[in-house]
Amino acid sequence: MKSRHTFGERVSRIEDDALLTGRGRFVDDIALPGMTEAAFLRSPYAHAAIRRIDVTAALALPGVIAVLTLDDLRPYLTTDKLAVGMPSPSYRLEVDRPILASTEVTYVGEPIAVVIATSRYIAEDALNLIALDADPLEVVADCREALKPGAPRAHRALPHNLVAEFDITYGQVDAAFAAAKTVLREKFWQHRGAGQSMEGRGILARFDESERLLTLWNSTQTPNVGQRLLADLLGLEETEVRVIAPDIGGGFGPKLVFYCEEVVIAAAAMIVKAPVKWIEDRREHFMSTTQERDQYWDVEIAVDDDARVLGIRGSLLHDHGAYTARGVNIPYNSALTVPLAYNVPNYRMDVKLALTNKVPVTPIRGAGQPQGCFVMERLLDRVAQKLNLDRAEVRRRNLVRADQMPCTKEIKLRGGTFVVLDSGDYPASQQAALDAGGWSGFAERQKAARAQGRHIGIGVANYVEGTGRGPFEPVRVRVSASGKILVASSATAMGQGTKTMLAQVVAEQFGGEIDNVVVTTGDTSAMSSGFGGFNSRQAVMAGSSAHSAAMTVRAKAIQAASHLLEAAPEDLEIVGSRIQVVGSDRFISLGDVSRALAGIAGYRLPGDMEPGLEATAQVIVHDMAFSSGSAVAEVEVDVETGEVRVKNLVLSHDCGRMINPTLVDGQVIGGVAHGLGNALFEWMGYDSNAQPITTNFGEYLLITATEMPAIKILHSESPSPLNALGVKGVGESGVIPIAAVIVSAVENALEGLNVRLAHCPISPMDVLKAIADVRKAPSES
Amino acid sequence: MKPPPFKYYDPTAQNEVVGLLSSLENLKLLAGGQSLLPMLNMRFVLPDHVVDLNRVAGLDFVEADAGGGLRIGAMTRQRTLEFSADVAARAPLIREAVLHVGHRQTRNRGTLGGSLSHLDPAAELVTAAVALDAVVALRGPAGLRQLAMSEFMLGYMTPATNPDEMLVSVTFPALPAAHGWGFVEFARRHGDFAIASAAATLVTDAQGRISKVALALGGIGVVPLRMPELETGLLGAVASEALFADHCRACATVEAMDDALVTAGYRQQLAPVMARRALMAALQRSGGGAATQPH
Amino acid sequence: MTGASRRAIKLQVNGKPHAAEVDVRLTLADCLRQEFKLTGTHLGCEHGVCGACTVLLDGQSVRACLMLAVQADGRAVATVEGLAGADGKLNILQQAFKDHHGLQCGFCTPGILMTLTECFADKPDLTEQDIRVALSGNICRCTGYQGIVDAAMDALRKMRSLL
């Protein structure tokens, strides 16, 4: 028997068997004795002053146990607001969410009261019996209107709607523009839509008075953060709150946020003295789970005659929604991303965040980076068009080169450290994608297709992704008395294969027996600190900690075994679940080593070692590991209907060393699918009164199997120097360049019609309108 | 999103259904449920009584009549239409339309009668029925009455069915065996409701002259629209793409629905394109050749 | 006849008899999950679009959120829990999903497995495009469908080789 490798291998996922046989355990699959069910009364108004909430009739309905408003919850709360915004000097207004709205509602879907009943059916019946008396107020439905003088205010007590403003600036940008011969300007609208994990949010709370323990099963990406907040809000010790994220049916960003419903359901369980379950339905997901909606950009680029970028400047207006549920990080990421992949010597982006009477905005997979990428790539297309150069050549001349790595950018991450692109060969990545995507022969194919009346087009886009947000994520590795390797982490799995990833990293140090590794994630009783899953960080942060902890435990196991087997440590190896003396039949099982280090009362430990065979690592990394890549897409546009079909898509990709290439493929392709949705389909619509108009899956379009092209992925591995494993994150990579590459390809397909597209998503209606607008407009020089 | 409370009935005979229709207020008939159940789950409808037609006898059949036409029971599943040899032989337009209806899971439950009674103007089966001059049979306390689709469709999602009547069957008159057919639609994704669709049947003589033509536009107006002047204008002309393109321009001026997601102008842009494409598909299949199955 | 608010129902689920007294408004999906504790069938949208709740009714795929439990009285329902062997061994389709990374979060997976189970029984010679059309009524937010399509094609090949 030989020790096997698990790191870097395409091993099957340890998550799969349960999920494939219906034995998964999502929040709604858990039923407790005496469990009750909740439904929320949500605001039908985008903005209104609440006069009175009369719950009498609802309370009288048989099966209803309680109807709770903020007044009913207050005795259990230390505060009635959720102050969760990340620190930033850029805030101009403080807009924390109330735990339940009691005086004013500021978006459709805002929770006002909760019904606790014997079933969700009855709870919904009772919602119709609550009398909500409210006076509608003026509405801010569009972030562009929000900042105009005299605009209505999203909150009546606030003086204006400018919730935050900042700029990202370096170099001498105005001087660069003054000296430039070619300056191009473009305005962009970008929209990202909603998270739409297939499983909505969901919470099951139980308060055990005899143990004084609140247990919350929660479909969240950040259970440890939730535990701290619940303890704070309910005045409990952290030891009195346990948050468990069981199987999570997708996250995609919105589930990293802490929501009012979490503390309301927890308090309700304390009040009704029974377990309370709330399962968000799809309509609630559309109207109350955070989204990432509109950004309006007005940007200029200055280039020299060789198409080298001299500077970029402009403004970004960001729809923040009605409250601060996370921070200023999305537009920060957007503005920061624009110049990352390229050499842009001078830069200034003025950023404003406007309050609107809509669902609060927080990150969706990509978190602002796709928008920054889109702006940069569209600008480079404009440069190519203006200077009559190949689009790929313009990019090649400006991309950060391999010889510049590590490349320090004059932009600071939100924590204050400079962006350092750590590794990678961006021009080589673009060339690989161009070659695989048939770039060089495309003009001929396009001509031939056009002769048959078909409009095909090709696009290219490059991106970098900031991954592995620090500072740390703890992992404990322990060898149990049975010889199992127990791994526990605050890392939280929501479908990425996080458990498999951690098992692969740890098993690499323990004989390569992945089946011998048991992983616990997303349970605050297993790990008391940490952050969870977001920002493509867990392979980097938890992976590094897992590697470090596993190395420590391995070394200790070998040292203990050397005492127990009376052999030199260098003669020992771990194979399977035993430690053996190389070239002999002498061995000791890992379980026996663990037992020996557990000690026997009254006896010395082997070699007088420290007791226990476990270690916790919290590897600290502040710098982000930058994944990178290039996309080439080919589309066909039906100029009679405006339909865009994606015919071919290549993504060349570098996320450092891959722990499991199969899972990397899965993350990349899933991200691409999300990106195609953002490019062509997904639009979270509101009317001019801020009433949502896309509140079901017939109106909000998620991409299905028939719209997805086959995707070719090219991998290269530039190990990150920032962590011992050389890994970079990958969860959001696929999504970032897709809107940019698709819109570039659509524009190219319409070459000759002079159509210019500066927004996404682009609907078929938009495509026809763009064609018609060009035909109507007087020809430009 | 759970259904509101209601009383449930599952009669087995049509006269029982008519009896319930005559005696109960605020009642909904439950056919395939693929539109009613979402509306119940969202509580867009709050009926006091739900009468389930799924156990009612004599509503699930495809009958090839002696004259070459088809009579199809109201509770015939869309899946049955998809796989019926009689439908494929006599009214292949129905089969082609049904392939655009939802997905296999919804076609397994969804019914012909349910679709016609719901009368969504974008529904493929409604549009096909309009193109095929279908006649619906309604059963009420006084017995059966027949209505042409043009009489059946009173307005947006409003069938002429009286409160005490139920749709029991739909008759599709015979078409010449040599007719061509085409159903095309534009939807954002496979299986979505059409933003615009067109259904056409066409008969040409040996010289390629059009001797019979029917064209219906779906998803454009508040009900699927026939284009009688356009049809008349085509009669006797030699069929060609140029001819169709020329005549179908008239479709751009039909009165179109305008909603928050799709403008009337866009629907009007799509209408002539769908019409021309449907007629072209019909032309390619006309001439008495074996009915090649579209995929 | 008089209308009912509650009904006693009997049906076969995965070949075994099941009975319950249910509210007539209870959906089949909630009946399976709450009354019969078969929580493998998931609810993703409750308006018949996402396909996560797909089960087989007398062998045909249906949205369990768009049927009332009372409508399944006397019928045979198959759910994801019935796919694996009695010994827990994954069937060919399930194994193919594991081999081809056909799932990530796994929430939509039961519905997709049931859809493909019906689809393969209908017609075993399917192209990749046929598979994509068959899957168009099942939404997956994680995978981009490629792993699912690869798994389905692989399972088809393996099933055919057994014929």
Side-chain angles (χ1 to χ4, degrees), chain B residues 250-275:
Chain B
C251 299
T253 57
V254 297
E255 197 170 323
M257 293 184 291
D258 199 39
D259 60 55
L261 302 177
V262 181
T263 63
Y266 183 57
R267 287 193 166 95
Q268 287 169 328
Q269 271 181 293
L270 290 178
V273 178
M274 294 298 114

Side-chain angles (χ1 to χ4, degrees), chain C residues 99-151:
Chain C
D99 294 343
H100 293 273
H101 196 22
L103 67 156
Q104 289 185 23
C105 81
F107 195 80
C108 71
T109 310
I112 287 177
L113 293 173
M114 299 319 288
T115 296
L116 288 172
T117 298
E118 181 207 33
C119 184
F120 291 176
D122 267 5
K123 187 167 174 263
D125 55 328
L126 298 165
T127 63
E128 182 180 320
Q129 183 56 23
D130 293 334
I131 297 281
R132 287 185 180 271
V133 169
L135 288 171
S136 64
N138 291 84
I139 299 175
C140 170
R141 186 56 147 168
C142 294
T143 64
Y145 304 99
Q146 195 146 311
I148 296 171
V149 172
D150 291 347

Side-chain angles (χ1 to χ4, degrees), chain C residues 48-101:
Chain C
V49 186
C50 82
C53 68
T54 302
V55 300
L56 304 188
L57 180 77
D58 294 333
Q60 292 186 350
S61 63
V62 298
R63 313 285 208 206
C65 74
L66 298 190
M67 272 191 71
L68 302 172
V70 288
Q71 294 186 288
D73 188 21
R75 316 283 296 267
V77 173
T79 71
V80 68
E81 286 92 344
L83 292 181
D87 56 354
K89 188 174 183 296
L90 301 182
N91 75 9
I92 290 173
L93 182 61
Q94 291 167 311
Q95 186 61 45
F97 268 64
K98 186 172 176 178
D99 294 343
H100 293 273
H101 196 22

Side-chain angles (χ1 to χ4, degrees), chain A residues 394-412:
Chain A
V394 169
R395 286 164 169 81
R396 193 191 62 76
R397 291 180 191 178
N398 289 287
L399 275 169
V400 171
R401 301 178 310 276
D403 63 57
Q404 294 178 267
M405 295 295 176
C407 175
T408 301
K409 292 279 189 171
E410 294 177 80
I411 305 179
K412 283 180 179 171

Side-chain angles (χ1 to χ4, degrees), chain A residues 212-213 227 230-232 234-242:
Chain A
R212 202 170 162 72
L213 178 66
Q227 180 205 27
L230 284 168
D232 288 348
L234 295 167
L236 300 170
E237 282 302 321
E238 283 188 17
T239 51
E240 294 168 342
V241 181
R242 178 184 179 191

